[in-house]
Amino acid sequence: MSTALTARQALERASRPQAILDRRPAGDLTAPKILLRGKELSGEITAVMTDPPRLERTISGASTLSITVADADRTLVRSRLASERSVITLDTLSFELARVSKQGPRLTLTFEDEEVAILRRQRKPLKARRGPKMTRAQFVQRLVAEPKRKRIGFFCPELTVRQPVETAEAETGVRVEPYEFTRGEPGQPEDSWTAVQRLADEVGWRCFMVAGVCWYISDRALMALAPAMVISEDSAGIDDIDFDHDIGLPVAEARLTCQAERWAAPPGSIVEVTRLGPASGRWIVSDIGRYLSSVMTDITLTRRRPTLPEPAASSASSSSGEQGLSGGVPASVARAYARAETIHGFRDGYVRGGGHGGFGNGPYDCSGGVSDVLHAGGMLSAPLATGGLLGWGEAGQGRYMTVWVKDTPGSPFSGSHTFIEFAVGRQRWFEAGGTSGALTGWRASKSTAGYTARRWPGT
């Protein structure tokens, strides 16, 4: 079951791991204590780590803790650790094993928020009719409250708010069905975590997990929170604040490199940037990535996005794929969209060169992921690198789908990149990479500054 929290309680929960860390000696930052099944991670594992454990926190998916080890003799891959739902604990926060990736002698264990893993196991179809006694937020709370194994906190300052409903053109002789919130349908299973993120995305809200608390909230309510920090490039510990700016348009994304404590600036917190021209103002923390052995932290900031109205009563709240698209969308776009939705569910991390050995072979790099989606839509016969996508299709933005490409030869860091923008009733961005350690899949927003637009004829 879930516990509804006030804003103060939610913020206290978010800062609790940091409070625990603050009580420890400063040197403990470079030697994190990770527990496996209640016991400290064994020396047999720590001795063969090829990289320090990496922590990735986000408002667009599950936060993860990744451990990469050398496993030449296959001892670890054959152990219970790699085949069971092992749980590790870091500063009282629990992460459950979600993925095991083997590349030659290297083995990467990716753990995600235990609360997210628990919600993923709730898959029985469920529906509720929208009305005075059931808002979208209340249905989400119902899903979060369902698991009995562990109490999951829930924070939504707009729980009983009834959002405006978009209008639909009346069709003569057509019966308008009541709108229902759903978790999957018979023959189309969907887990609770996927459902609550979909339900949030449909109306431009956010749904993310912080310190065992599920936040379901609009950007308007997020921006009303007090800033967690006020910074400029002159602030102590701030190395760089980078952004791209199209003249006449607001800056949509900023990238912050800084020195920070392990749990500083949790996802969804507000950062105010000063003295940086068009990038000045209030931002929402979107992604945070760091190695546990270092104070260096990469933070991605995003602007407030508009809230969307509730779908009209004649619409169906489908779980995924083509049924989630409005009428008139070309079949090629619908197939590409469905493939992007499928890849999002894989929870793959970025892998340089990934996806170029053939279609369906994830994990992906940016162009590998885009190529796979285009192939599913019948718009590409062989994977293309980012430079090759500059010649794909035709120039300009599409009505329903646009591939954005930036190719800067000789600039491997933030120089060349590509992603897809879908406009099928609502805007969604599909991407592999983009921010350090980000999972391949949907993004809340993306800046197109410096990118070239490519489209497929008729899309």
Side-chain angles (χ1 to χ4, degrees), residues 115-179:
E115 293 79 10
V116 170
I118 291 172
L119 289 174
R120 290 191 193 279
R121 292 197 278 276
Q122 309 298 315
R123 301 179 63 84
K124 185 178 179 180
L126 184 67
K127 62 177 60 178
R129 181 173 298 183
R130 181 176 64 199
K133 296 184 179 180
M134 181 60 69
T135 65
R136 181 175 291 256
Q138 288 170 327
F139 184 72
V140 170
Q141 184 185 36
R142 178 177 175 182
L143 298 184
V144 175
E146 191 175 35
K148 307 303 180 191
R149 171 183 166 186
K150 186 175 184 178
R151 185 186 298 269
I152 301 175
F154 184 73
F155 174 56
C156 178
E158 304 153 294
L159 185 63
T160 59
V161 172
R162 298 182 63 189
Q163 299 168 244
V165 178
E166 67 182 1
T167 58
E169 295 182 5
E171 297 183 49
T172 304
V174 176
R175 179 181 176 182
V176 177
E177 297 291 338
Y179 186 89

Side-chain angles (χ1 to χ4, degrees), residues 34-36 39-46 49 67 81 88:
I34 302 176
L35 304 180
L36 173 62
K39 298 181 180 180
E40 192 163 0
L41 202 63
S42 71
E44 294 178 359
I45 295 178
T46 56
M49 285 185 185
I67 299 174
L81 174 62
I88 62 177

